[in-house]
Amino acid sequence: MFFAFSGKPTRIRCQSRKIASIFAFATCGGFKGKTEIQVSCPKTPENRTITAAFGYPFRLNQVAFQAPPGVNVCDVEWRDHVLIGDYSSSAQFYVTFAVFVFLYCMAALLLYLGYTSLYRDSRKLTMTDFVITLVATFLWLVSTSAWAKALTDIKIATGPNIVRELGPCNQRVTCHFGSVTSMGSLNVSVIFGFLNMILWGGNAWFVYKETSLHSPSNTSASHGQGGVPPPSGI
């Protein structure tokens, strides 16, 4: 990914992927939100609000509703009622992969800056670089697609449909969906996931051109003549 090029363009491509990976895991891993439901008791016309606070890694089935401190809302133990779904596998896969990509970018950039000539002269490293780039592109596609599907389900699980799933709301109390925290940052995380896939996929072509798969004869001649390619037409 980074080893096949020299000079400023390589560092720019390296920095762009590093920054994109930071935005990917930060916008997902740093999210915190809550969903609110307005509850009306049969004996009192006043509405009360119960809240379920959720966030990364989105184990919603462990998130209980909470009444205001010191307030008995309709004689219901709301802590016994939770949101629905566990989306931690998709979220953690996406964030963990993005963090590994960031760490790889940092290490690769440091190695590149310190040992440029070594990577320039090594055919095995350029081939390894090409394989890693292809694998990373594929994993960005898989992890982002899985996270996008999980995000859709999270929006449903924390939206108005939650009222129908709460037992007390279907029996003795009246419930109305109040609000849910905007998930704009999570939408951005999906966008950055696909952006990372495009960046890595586009870079695969440039890395491929530096491997022996693209021009084996020229590569062999270059190594046999001290790294100087043969003149055009020979």
Side-chain angles (χ1 to χ4, degrees):
M1 180 186 65
F2 312 117
F3 309 145
F5 300 96
S6 60
K8 188 175 180 180
T10 303
R11 291 193 291 272
I12 293 175
R13 283 187 288 269
C14 175
Q15 292 289 354
S16 65
R17 281 181 289 275
K18 183 175 70 173
I19 293 173
S21 65
I22 292 174
F23 275 101
F25 68 75
T27 51
C28 177
F31 180 83
K32 293 185 182 297
K34 63 180 180 179
T35 183
E36 296 181 342
I37 295 179
Q38 302 292 327
V39 178
S40 179
C41 307
K43 299 180 180 179
T44 58
E46 183 180 359
N47 288 336
R48 299 286 188 178
T49 300
I50 58 173
T51 304
F54 60 94
Y56 178 82
F58 304 101
R59 294 189 178 93
L60 301 187
N61 57 356
Q62 297 180 10
V63 177
F65 282 91
Q66 300 289 336
V71 178
N72 183 1
V73 179
C74 303
D75 294 323
V76 175
E77 192 66 34
W78 292 104
R79 289 177 296 180
D80 295 337
H81 302 277
V82 298
L83 296 173
I84 298 175
D86 183 356
Y87 308 98
S88 59
S89 59
S90 296
Q92 289 178 319
F93 175 36
Y94 177 80
V95 170
T96 301
F97 176 64
V99 171
F100 274 119
V101 167
F102 168 75
L103 295 176
Y104 173 74
C105 291
M106 292 291 294
L109 181 59
L110 291 175
L111 289 173
Y112 168 79
L113 293 176
Y115 303 94
T116 304
S117 59
L118 173 64
Y119 294 120
R120 235 181 246 165
D121 298 335
S122 176
R123 298 173 61 185
K124 289 184 179 179
L125 283 175
T126 55
M127 183 60 67
T128 302
D129 194 12
F130 178 59
V131 172
I132 291 176
T133 302
L134 291 180
V135 172
T137 302
F138 175 72
L139 289 178
W140 272 120
L141 173 62
V142 172
S143 62
T144 304
S145 298
W147 168 232
K149 175 61 171 62
L151 177 56
T152 300
D153 295 338
I154 290 171
K155 291 179 179 179
I156 295 174
T158 58
N161 291 334
I162 190 60
V163 173
R164 297 198 299 265
E165 305 296 336
L166 282 175
C169 295
N170 299 319
Q171 298 172 1
R172 44 185 173 155
V173 300
T174 302
C175 301
H176 299 282
F177 179 74
S179 63
V180 64
T181 303
S182 173
M183 299 186 189
S185 65
L186 299 182
N187 295 331
V188 171
S189 71
V190 173
I191 294 174
F192 271 101
F194 285 115
L195 175 61
N196 273 285
M197 182 196 69
I198 294 173
L199 289 174
W200 282 75
N203 189 64
W205 166 248
F206 297 102
V207 178
Y208 169 74
K209 291 199 301 183
E210 298 295 327
T211 65
S212 58
L213 296 176
H214 180 254
S215 53
S217 60
N218 287 347
T219 303
S220 300
S222 174
H223 281 271
Q225 300 179 20
V228 180
S232 176
I234 296 180

